[in-house]
């Protein structure tokens, strides 16, 4: 078995430098002696009670790791370090858009987390309860996540760029009893009024009993007596015993949406997840004790959960945390922060790189970036032009680029060059090789492995500790979405190829999920919001390739009887989407047409609309119920020109 994997997946040893052979040894061990390997790697965290079994796959695809082990993520991120010389080490250097700075040590963070945990207990929250966290990038956000983890409360972070409807949906599905939020968030010098968005969301839900509000922007807000409390009024200094959580108790739910159905609540647990993210961070980035690491993502996404909050804290790393836009107040914001704080490891997205590249070399060249040692990217394939700019202009051709391929569902990195185990030669745009424990294969529609350099679906053949536990309240959907196309193998939903040297190249989504500025956007949520407006009959949403953002959102809609097409109506639709779903979900263009191409069974053909719109051949349209609609789309496109 292993020989097949090694010869098919990996280049042979001799062709690489000697350090790469360490990677090969570790990889081999992870495949040949999986249980022994993970038994050793699980010691990266402390366990209150040892597990009985490393892996139980008797109920696959519900794989259970570290069965009956007891631990606590907050304990592992904090208590463990304050007994060592990391006690006074800086955990976070927080920097705001306006240049304010706060520094918190591991001990300081421990105190804050305990104080909030006590506050939450005083308010009646108990292990197994659910809380939604809707916060800007402020220190109280990781504090809230850790305080929940400490007392066994399952948290659901909702990205602060989402609007009231999207927030309400997630509050409802996660059955949250409480929302932790802030009065507002800073964005490009303006205040985003988070608390008023929460107020609107709560009009749409019934399960929330209380709201905790951090004062951040000091704007005037509405406070409901008996329901809303200021953070500073509920925290209480002291020590809270961390709950002994089972490995497979849920730690958090994080929603991600697709092309069908409601957003999926991806559930990660207390055992496999921390083991996976801390090992993968060590393998991929190899942070040293004195390093300063900056992951420029937002805690509202999985990158923030795993690699701003949990993995760096589990490893006792010093992180930069930044609240604000990366090009505000000036396009040199990122370079200024790197110079000012001596950042050694910078982890960001291809979108951010392309945006910063657009401003030109003069901004990075006016800063001393010599502290940088390692660069990383995530979120979408990185195009060679952006790769070279990042490598040459930012890293001065000295810093490897760790292109990390993974997803909300995988918990942490799956395919990435492993600096900590020995780097392969990098190829711009390839995420290179699987990390230990990951067994990828590229299949065609019939489940046969494709040949080298042929495109297929990337699938993982065996479980790894970071794999989600399930989809919240929907085990069936977990099986159907991820383990049905190819039985018992995890479908990542992306296309990929493996080249002659065994390098893996990701080619983007195999479904109609969009990647807008690296954010995963489900077309269905936008379509639902459009058709729920009284004026709109039908809607089709798809992505238009964009050189900076990856995709931009395009919508085609038809109107109900009695409504007339007008520019005002389009503006109104955009405004409504902004309020309900949030600014990142607003279509750049909304086109009103008389009819949309549909199959005879009534299914709207997004594929055809997109092809016509992009001036490509629409493929077979003979099955369309209304071929004339295609001409109408062509006309709408002509009008744009
Ligand atoms: O399409 C892949 C793309 O992002 C998707 C996962 O999105 P999300 O769950 O929001 O997580 C993003 C952060 C991990 C994947 O299915 N993707 C992520 N990283 C890469 C990537 N595509 C190519 N290369 C990457 N490095």
């Amino acid at each position: 078995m292993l020989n097949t994997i090694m010869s098919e997946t990996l280049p042979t040893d001799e062709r690489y430098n000697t350090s790469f052979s360490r990677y090969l040894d570790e990889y081999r061990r992870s495949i040949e002696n999986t249980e022994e390997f993970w038994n050793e790697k699980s010691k990266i965290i402390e366990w209150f009670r040892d597990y009985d079994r490393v892996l139980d796959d008797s109920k696959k695809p519900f794989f259970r790791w570290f069965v009956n082990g007891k631990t606590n993520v907050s304990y592992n991120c904090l208590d463990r370090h304050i007994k060592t010389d990391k006690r006074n080490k800086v955990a976070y250097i927080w920097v705001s858009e306006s240049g304010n700075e706060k520094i918190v040590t591991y001990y300081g963070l421990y105190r804050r987390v305990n104080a909030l945990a006590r506050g939450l207990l005083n308010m009646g929250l108990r292990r197994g309860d659910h809380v939604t966290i809707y916060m800007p990038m402020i220190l109280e956000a990781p504090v809230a996540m850790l305080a929940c983890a400490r007392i066994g409360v399952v948290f659901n972070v909702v990205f602060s760029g989402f609007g009231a409807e999207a927030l309400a949906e997630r509050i409802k599905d996660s059955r949250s009893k409480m929302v932790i939020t802030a009065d507002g968030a800073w964005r490009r010098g303006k205040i985003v009024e988070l608390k008023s968005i929460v107020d609107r969301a709560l009009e749409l839900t019934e399960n929330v009993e209380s709201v905790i509000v951090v004062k951040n922007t000091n704007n005037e807000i509405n406070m409901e007596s008996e329901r809303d409390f200021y953070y500073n009024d509920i925290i209480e200094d002291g020590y809270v015993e961390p709950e002994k959580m089972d490995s497979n108790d849920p730690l958090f739910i994080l929603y991600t949406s697709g092309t069908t159905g409601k957003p999926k609540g991806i559930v990660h647990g207390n055992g496999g997840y921390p083991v996976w993210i801390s090992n993968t961070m060590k393998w991929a980035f190899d942070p040293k004790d004195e390093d300063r690491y900056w992951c420029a993502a937002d805690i509202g996404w999985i990158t923030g959960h795993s690699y701003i909050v949990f993995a760096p804290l589990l490893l006792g790393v010093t992180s930069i945390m930044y609240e604000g836009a990366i090009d505000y107040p000036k396009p040199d914001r990122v370079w200024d922060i790197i110079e000012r704080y001596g950042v050694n490891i910078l982890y960001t997205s291809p979108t951010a790189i392309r945006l910063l590249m657009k401003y030109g070399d003069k901004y990075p060249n006016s800063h001393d970036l010599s502290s940088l040692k390692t660069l990383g990217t995530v979120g979408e394939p990185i195009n060679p032009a952006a790769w070279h700019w990042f490598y040459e202009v930012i890293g001065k051709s000295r810093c490897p680029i760790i292109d990390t391929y993974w997803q909300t569902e995988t918990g942490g990195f799956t395919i990435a060059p492993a600096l900590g185990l020995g780097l392969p030669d990098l190829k711009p745009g390839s995420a290179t090789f699987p990390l230990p424990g990951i067994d990828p294969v590229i299949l065609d529609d019939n489940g046969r492995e494709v040949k080298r350099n042929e495109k297929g679906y990337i699938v993982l053949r065996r479980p790894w500790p970071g794999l989600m536990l399930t989809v919240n309240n929907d085990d069936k959907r977990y099986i159907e979405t991820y383990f049905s196309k190819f039985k018992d193998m995890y479908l990542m939903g992306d296309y990929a190829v493996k080249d002659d040297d065994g390098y893996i190249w990701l080619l983007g989504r195999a479904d109609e999920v969009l990647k807008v500025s690296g954010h995963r956007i489900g077309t269905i949520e936008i379509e639902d919001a459009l058709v729920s407006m009284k004026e709109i009959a039908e809607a089709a949403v798809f992505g238009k390739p964009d050189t900076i953002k990856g995709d931009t959102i395009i919508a085609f809609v038809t109107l109900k009887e009695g409504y007339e097409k007008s520019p005002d109506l389009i503006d109104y639709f955009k405004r409504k989407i902004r309020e309900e779903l949030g600014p990142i979900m607003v279509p750049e263009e909304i086109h009103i047409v008389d009819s949309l191409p549909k199959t005879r069974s009534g299914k709207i053909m997004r594929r055809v609309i997109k092809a016509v719109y992009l001036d490509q051949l629409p493929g077979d349209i003979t099955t369309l119920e209304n071929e004339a609609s295609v001409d109408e789309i062509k006309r709408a496109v002509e009008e744009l020109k």
Side-chain angles (χ1 to χ4, degrees):
M1 171 85 173
L2 182 75
N3 280 343
T4 345
I5 293 164
M6 297 303 280
S7 60
E8 282 181 4
T9 316
L10 298 168
T12 47
D13 223 354
E14 305 78 56
R15 299 177 50 196
Y16 284 85
N17 53 42
T18 46
S19 69
F20 190 60
S21 67
R22 253 194 67 217
Y23 159 78
L24 288 172
D25 288 344
E26 285 287 87
Y27 186 80
R28 181 182 291 116
R29 237 163 34 85
S30 78
I31 301 294
E32 272 179 351
N33 296 315
T34 304
E35 301 222 356
E36 183 195 291
F37 181 84
W38 286 112
N39 189 36
E40 179 193 309
K41 299 298 173 194
S42 73
K43 306 292 187 285
I44 200 163
I45 64 169
E46 228 177 277
W47 297 84
F48 300 141
R49 179 191 183 279
D50 209 359
Y51 41 84
D52 301 327
R53 276 183 76 179
V54 172
L55 170 64
D56 174 4
D57 60 2
S58 61
K59 296 197 183 68
K60 60 188 174 196
F62 298 93
F63 301 98
R64 294 298 175 248
W65 289 87
F66 312 117
V67 181
N68 294 329
K70 303 278 184 270
T71 186
N72 183 287
V73 173
S74 155
Y75 174 90
N76 275 290
C77 289
L78 304 167
D79 307 44
R80 198 165 48 123
H81 300 313
I82 65 164
K83 296 180 211 154
T84 71
D85 54 9
K86 287 200 199 294
R87 181 184 175 91
N88 294 325
K89 182 173 173 177
V90 173
Y92 288 113
I93 302 171
W94 172 85
V95 189
S96 78
E97 212 174 56
S98 56
N100 286 338
E101 162 191 302
K102 282 182 195 163
I103 290 178
V104 64
T105 61
Y106 274 87
Y107 182 65
L109 196 60
Y110 164 86
R111 302 259 328 182
R112 284 169 176 244
V113 167
N114 274 281
L116 179 59
R118 170 62 60 212
L120 297 179
L121 289 173
N122 290 346
M123 292 189 70
L125 278 193
R126 290 295 173 266
R127 177 177 177 151
D129 284 343
H130 290 215
V131 160
T132 290
I133 298 175
Y134 182 64
M135 284 178 120
M137 287 286 291
I138 53 177
L139 286 172
E140 287 81 357
V143 169
M145 293 158 81
L146 290 159
C148 290
R150 192 167 190 88
I151 58 174
V153 163
V154 181
F155 57 89
N156 153 44
V157 180
V158 177
F159 175 54
S160 60
F162 280 132
E165 193 94 18
L167 174 61
E169 179 77 45
R170 288 155 175 79
I171 290 174
K172 268 191 266 184
D173 191 83
S174 66
R175 302 199 187 114
S176 292
K177 284 172 90 169
M178 178 191 273
V179 176
I180 307 179
T181 188
D183 47 4
W186 288 111
R187 199 75 189 169
R188 300 192 168 278
K190 295 209 183 72
I191 293 173
V192 182
E193 296 191 7
L194 296 184
K195 175 62 169 58
S196 60
I197 299 174
V198 170
D199 289 342
R200 266 187 286 138
L202 294 194
E203 285 167 17
L204 307 169
T205 54
E206 278 162 10
N207 34 323
V208 171
E209 292 163 13
S210 49
V211 179
I212 295 183
V213 186
V214 177
K215 275 193 191 176
N216 181 44
T217 42
N218 290 312
N219 47 312
E220 213 167 294
I221 55 171
N222 158 55
M223 292 289 280
E224 295 276 317
S225 63
E226 317 273 307
R227 188 194 73 182
D228 301 350
F229 303 87
Y230 281 111
Y231 181 98
N232 281 344
D233 294 339
I234 65 119
I235 53 176
E236 187 185 321
D237 279 340
Y239 170 74
V240 173
E241 180 87 20
E243 282 283 330
K244 295 186 173 48
M245 302 305 292
D246 190 276
S247 293
N248 294 296
D249 281 338
L251 171 67
F252 65 84
I253 306 172
L254 182 60
Y255 287 84
T256 177
S257 47
T259 49
T260 53
K262 288 189 310 177
K264 294 186 282 283
I266 304 303
V267 184
H268 282 289
N270 278 273
Y273 173 78
V275 168
W276 182 250
I277 59 170
S278 42
N279 276 295
T280 49
M281 180 161 175
K282 226 170 114 166
W283 290 332
F285 286 122
D286 193 25
K288 301 291 184 224
D289 199 32
E290 63 284 1
D291 278 349
R292 285 184 167 182
Y293 158 84
W294 181 17
C295 168
D298 190 288
I299 48 131
W301 307 102
I302 192 69
T303 309
H305 281 60
S306 299
Y307 298 106
I308 295 177
V309 182
F310 295 115
L313 295 177
L314 287 165
L315 297 179
V317 165
T318 297
S319 286
I320 309 292
M321 184 172 166
Y322 176 59
E323 180 196 14
I326 55 167
D327 56 349
Y328 188 89
K330 283 199 298 188
D332 72 341
R333 192 72 182 110
V334 169
W335 322 125
D336 176 56
I337 291 176
I338 291 170
E339 179 174 19
R340 193 176 298 270
Y341 299 101
V343 172
N344 307 106
I345 306 172
L346 173 66
Y347 184 33
T348 184
S349 65
T351 287
I353 296 165
R354 290 191 295 259
L355 175 73
L356 298 171
M357 183 174 145
K358 191 188 75 177
Y359 292 120
D361 297 2
K362 71 169 191 247
Y363 291 103
N365 287 347
S366 63
H367 289 277
D368 175 7
L369 305 180
S370 60
S371 59
L372 286 174
K373 294 195 306 191
T374 309
L375 303 172
T377 70
V378 59
E380 47 184 323
I382 179 164
N383 50 308
W387 195 98
H388 282 290
W389 187 78
F390 202 31
Y391 186 72
E392 283 141 30
V393 178
I394 306 309
K396 313 287 183 234
S397 305
R398 317 178 268 104
C399 310
I401 295 182
I402 309 299
D403 179 350
T404 62
Y405 168 63
W406 59 296
Q407 315 177 302
T408 308
E409 295 88 335
T410 68
F413 311 147
T414 55
I415 298 180
L419 178 63
L421 298 175
L423 279 186
D425 292 333
L426 300 177
K427 296 191 187 186
S430 166
T432 73
F433 300 106
L435 290 172
I438 296 296
D439 182 14
V441 62
I442 301 173
L443 304 179
D444 66 15
D445 269 302
N446 302 316
R448 274 191 295 266
E449 193 167 347
V450 299
K451 295 202 194 81
R452 289 289 165 107
N453 304 309
E454 272 179 23
K455 175 172 159 180
Y457 300 95
I458 183 159
V459 168
L460 306 183
R461 280 189 283 213
R462 47 171 75 217
W464 65 99
L467 172 64
M468 73 193 125
L469 296 177
T470 188
V471 171
N472 192 40
N473 303 324
D474 209 343
D475 286 351
K476 206 167 135 238
R477 204 162 168 213
Y478 167 79
I479 300 173
E480 275 168 10
T481 313
Y482 304 103
F483 292 94
S484 295
K485 189 168 175 71
F486 306 111
K487 194 168 174 353
D488 290 339
M489 292 194 258
Y490 176 76
L491 178 73
M492 296 199 74
D494 288 296
Y495 286 127
V497 295
K498 199 190 282 180
D499 71 13
D500 290 328
D501 298 324
Y503 282 69
I504 295 173
W505 300 74
L506 282 312
L507 304 177
R509 298 289 307 180
D511 50 21
E512 285 161 339
V513 164
L514 308 186
K515 275 278 165 173
V516 180
S517 301
H519 303 319
R520 184 162 153 191
I521 303 288
T523 46
I524 184 76
E525 236 180 327
I526 305 174
E527 287 171 0
D528 278 354
L530 287 167
V531 296
S532 70
M533 295 184 204
K534 64 179 188 311
E535 301 83 359
I536 295 182
E538 299 161 318
V541 167
F542 58 90
K544 170 171 99 172
D546 180 275
T547 49
I548 292 184
K549 291 185 186 169
D551 283 316
T552 54
I553 306 169
I554 308 293
F556 276 79
V557 301
T558 61
L559 298 181
K560 285 192 189 143
E561 284 278 316
Y563 292 99
E564 287 284 321
K565 176 175 170 174
S566 76
D568 284 351
L569 198 55
I570 291 173
D571 287 346
Y572 163 78
F573 293 154
K574 289 189 182 175
R575 229 174 23 250
K576 284 275 280 186
I577 298 282
R578 178 176 293 273
E579 273 167 28
E580 289 179 9
L581 300 182
I584 53 163
M585 309 271 257
V586 180
E588 189 163 287
E589 296 166 15
I590 299 181
H591 299 282
I592 300 176
V593 288
D594 287 337
S595 67
L596 292 172
K598 273 183 250 152
T599 59
R600 295 207 173 97
S601 58
K603 193 169 168 279
I604 296 175
M605 298 291 284
R606 279 200 209 105
R607 174 182 61 79
V608 172
I609 307 173
K610 180 172 174 175
V612 173
Y613 178 88
L614 295 177
D615 217 3
Q616 295 164 348
L617 290 176
D620 181 11
I621 55 167
T622 52
T623 55
L624 287 186
E625 174 222 35
N626 47 350
E627 276 182 49
S629 59
V630 170
D631 296 329
E632 234 207 304
I633 293 168
K634 280 191 190 144
R635 272 201 300 280
V637 178
E638 282 304 316
E639 275 171 28
L640 276 180
K641 286 180 185 161

